[in-house]
Amino acid sequence: MNMEAGNIFTAFLLTLAAGLAMGIGSLLSFTGKKGNNNFLAASLGFACGVMIYTSFVEILPEAKETLAEIFGEEKGILFAVGSFFMGMIFMVFTEKFCLENKEEEHDDCCHSCNKNSLYRMGVMTALAIAVHNFPEGMAIFASVLKNTALGVSVAAAIGIHNIAVGIAVSAPIYYATGNRKKAFGFAVLSGLSEPLGAVIGYIVLKNYLDETIFGILLAAVSGIMVYIALDELLPSAQKNGKHHTATYSMIFGMAVMAVSLILI
């Protein structure tokens, strides 16, 4: 597959934009009142809807179509479905080995409710999300190289998710230290692992990127996004706000993404 330099540059810019969206989330965390979680719940629910809709309506069908053209209808679907669940399994292991400390620190914060534990939670969250964002950067980059419109959809979905994640990283550090620059810095640095993942992924995989690899990567990306939505975003939204706030925001996120995909 021939890849023009323009496509590579566009892929990098979209990946960078999605990563920097965590900075937007950080800024938003400074506007809300402490203890008022409705905005956070709505943001998480919205991001959940965006990611689920994009995964099932745009990314997974594209992966199935690509793999079906190569292996035939039946085998192509099997490869796509298998890659979808492999993406989920990958996230299970990522969370088990990389996000475990974040959850422990969160529990400490809930029980002790002091500034030190809040600060530790924020820092550990930032480090964990940096690892978490790495494969997402590769996902956006590969999606853009496969299909620019598809890549824009993936970048938009992950970018919206990163706004909510930026709030989660920045808010505890800000509440613990009162230092907006420090809270913002942690969120942005954590987000920059996304374009870093794209660059490293491209360097490692550039000699192997063909239609088969793209199809498998897209299916795995859809699994990763659905897992994030169901395991992280929706439970967090329901925990931080009213149940219906999370649900209505999720539906609204799906509607916004549906309209945007029609317009692209």
Side-chain angles (χ1 to χ4, degrees), residues 225-236:
M225 291 173 67
V226 169
Y227 183 89
I228 292 170
L230 297 179
D231 184 67
E232 298 179 19
L233 298 180
L234 187 58
S236 295

Side-chain angles (χ1 to χ4, degrees), residues 13-181:
L13 283 183
L14 285 173
T15 308
L16 178 63
L20 291 179
M22 287 189 63
I24 298 175
S26 177
L27 294 175
L28 290 174
S29 72
F30 304 148
T31 63
K33 293 181 179 179
K34 190 175 179 181
N36 183 1
N37 292 325
N38 284 331
F39 176 76
L40 177 58
S43 299
L44 293 170
F46 183 86
C48 177
V50 166
M51 296 188 80
I52 290 176
Y53 188 90
T54 304
S55 296
F56 283 124
V57 175
E58 183 79 358
I59 304 175
L60 188 57
E62 177 78 17
K64 285 181 178 179
E65 182 179 341
T66 298
L67 293 172
E69 290 177 359
I70 299 170
F71 299 105
E73 187 73 21
E74 187 173 335
K75 286 186 178 180
I77 291 175
L78 286 175
F79 273 113
V81 171
S83 300
F84 173 85
F85 285 106
M86 286 302 295
M88 287 189 163
I89 292 171
F90 172 78
M91 287 309 301
V92 169
F93 283 101
T94 299
E95 291 197 338
K96 180 175 178 60
F97 294 109
C98 299
L99 304 186
E100 213 166 34
N101 288 333
K102 181 191 77 170
E103 293 172 358
E104 290 172 1
E105 293 294 340
H106 178 71
D107 290 339
D108 287 345
C109 170
C110 292
H111 288 108
S112 62
C113 294
N114 59 56
K115 290 185 177 181
N116 286 335
S117 61
L118 266 178
Y119 182 75
R120 287 198 305 271
M121 187 188 85
V123 172
M124 289 306 300
T125 300
L127 293 174
I129 293 302
V131 176
H132 190 69
N133 283 349
F134 201 83
E136 287 183 358
M138 296 175 63
I140 297 172
F141 200 86
S143 300
V144 176
L145 293 181
K146 170 67 176 142
N147 182 305
T148 302
L150 177 65
V152 170
S153 299
V154 174
I158 291 178
I160 292 170
H161 161 241
N162 281 348
I163 292 175
V165 171
I167 295 172
V169 170
S170 184
I173 295 175
Y174 174 55
Y175 290 147
T177 66
N179 190 326
R180 294 186 178 187
K181 289 183 179 179

